Amino acid sequence: MLDGPRARGAFLLRAHLDPPWSMRVQDEAPLTLVAVVKGEAWIGESTRLRPGEVAVVRGPQPYVVADRPGTPPQVVIHPGQRCTTLDGQSLFESMLLGVRTWGNSGAGGATAMLVGTYQLEGEVSRRLLDALPQLIVLPGGPLIGLLGQEVVKDEPGQETVLDRLLDLLLISTLRTWFAEHETPAWYRAMGDPVVGRAMRMLHDDPARAWTVAALAAEVGVSRASLARRFTDLVGEPPMSYLTDWRLALAADLLREPGATVGSVARKVGYGTPFALSAAFKRVRGVSPQEYKAG
């Protein structure tokens, strides 16, 4: 699941701010990273971010980022990263300070932050999102400095560089958090010599016509033994897990340019577009075509 984050043209900026400042973020993004380079910031009333720390914020619920608790919001961040005053007047142009740089002061602002947003739910595994609390704060390490250097560059391929750096910062942060906290069953199961190997096979080759018997043969145990051990450790049978994985991949692939339901169905192990459509609608409540259009 940590291999899942795949930012695509992620929203990234460097903010320079002088107090008093406060932003109400209601962009409905599934996941946002806020890293403080200089000064400090508060998320909500009780979470303080110091230099070198990164916050991972789960959406889509709104939240406030401010210079201190209690500062009333002056700025609202809407879906699509549209930035306005409280009464709806656009602020983006007036606060633009350069390439991917924004704020109410120059480079000498009291607070400097980096903000990176995964804008589509499919960019981050739903299973991974469900395992996270609403807010994580941890040291960000040298990746914050590297991302800060790259975010203001305007060179060929720069969006791809920034996307991968954002992925790396997220994965590094989550790996540290999982090492220090109670982890979800699927994360612990990856360390099991039998179940972990079976999970990696399902991840690596979802299009294969897997059965529990075929998977058991690959990992060298009986069908009954694998089914029991997998269910005990992961919390669901192997084929249920595979279905969830296939549909998560399908959701990602449907967002790719030129993707069709038929091409995606073949890549994730469904024999026909109809079979994928039926499973997708049953689990997600919309058809693949509706999901792709949205």
Side-chain angles (χ1 to χ4, degrees), residues 88-128:
Q89 297 181 34
S90 177
L91 284 172
F92 186 78
E93 292 295 334
S94 63
M95 297 182 74
L96 192 63
L97 301 174
V99 177
R100 301 186 192 90
T101 304
W102 179 90
N104 64 5
S105 73
T111 298
M113 299 187 304
L114 299 171
V115 181
T117 298
Y118 288 83
Q119 301 182 77
L120 298 174
E121 182 178 302
E123 293 178 336
V124 187
S125 163
R126 168 52 53 187
R127 191 182 291 265
L128 179 59

Side-chain angles (χ1 to χ4, degrees), residues 19-278:
W21 60 269
S22 179
M23 296 176 284
R24 177 178 171 84
V25 183
Q26 53 186 49
D27 61 0
E28 302 177 5
L31 204 67
T32 297
L33 278 73
V34 180
V36 174
V37 178
K38 182 176 69 171
E40 67 178 37
W42 288 78
I43 297 180
E45 295 292 317
S46 59
T47 303
R48 183 184 184 185
L49 291 180
R50 297 173 175 83
E53 290 184 328
V54 59
V56 179
V57 187
R58 255 190 76 191
Q61 295 82 2
Y63 56 94
V64 173
V65 184
D67 64 322
R68 60 176 182 169
T71 300
Q74 307 119 349
V75 174
V76 180
I77 310 298
H78 302 272
Q81 303 307 318
R82 187 170 59 88
C83 174
T84 72
T85 61
L86 297 184
D87 60 4
Q89 297 181 34
S90 177
L91 284 172
F92 186 78
E93 292 295 334
S94 63
M95 297 182 74
L96 192 63
L97 301 174
V99 177
R100 301 186 192 90
T101 304
W102 179 90
N104 64 5
S105 73
T111 298
M113 299 187 304
L114 299 171
V115 181
T117 298
Y118 288 83
Q119 301 182 77
L120 298 174
E121 182 178 302
E123 293 178 336
V124 187
S125 163
R126 168 52 53 187
R127 191 182 291 265
L128 179 59
L129 287 175
D130 288 345
L132 302 178
Q134 293 300 120
L135 178 64
I136 294 171
V137 176
L138 286 170
L143 284 171
I144 291 179
L146 182 56
L147 187 58
Q149 293 171 20
E150 292 290 335
V151 75
V152 294
K153 294 181 180 178
D154 191 15
E155 300 178 1
Q158 195 64 22
E159 281 197 355
T160 301
V161 171
L162 294 173
D163 285 347
R164 297 293 75 80
L165 284 175
L166 182 64
D167 292 343
L168 187 57
L169 179 59
L170 173 62
I171 292 165
S172 175
T173 303
L174 295 186
R175 187 169 60 179
T176 299
W177 188 82
F178 279 137
E180 298 174 353
H181 295 78
E182 180 67 21
T183 54
W186 57 259
Y187 189 88
R188 297 191 299 273
M190 288 297 286
D192 183 83
V194 173
V195 175
R197 186 178 171 203
M199 292 172 71
R200 282 186 285 273
M201 287 182 173
L202 297 179
H203 290 175
D204 293 343
D205 193 6
R208 182 169 167 179
W210 288 109
T211 63
V212 178
L215 192 58
E218 290 285 353
V219 298
V221 297
S222 70
R223 179 187 182 281
S225 175
L226 176 63
R228 181 174 59 253
R229 190 163 174 172
F230 197 106
T231 303
D232 287 346
L233 292 180
V234 180
E236 61 183 314
M239 295 300 102
S240 295
Y241 182 87
L242 176 61
T243 296
D244 184 69
W245 179 244
R246 282 172 166 168
L247 294 178
L249 290 177
D252 283 354
L253 292 169
L254 285 166
R255 300 287 192 183
E256 297 285 350
T260 66
V261 177
S263 66
V264 171
R266 289 190 295 274
K267 290 179 180 178
V268 300
Y270 284 89
T272 66
F274 177 79
L276 172 60
S277 295

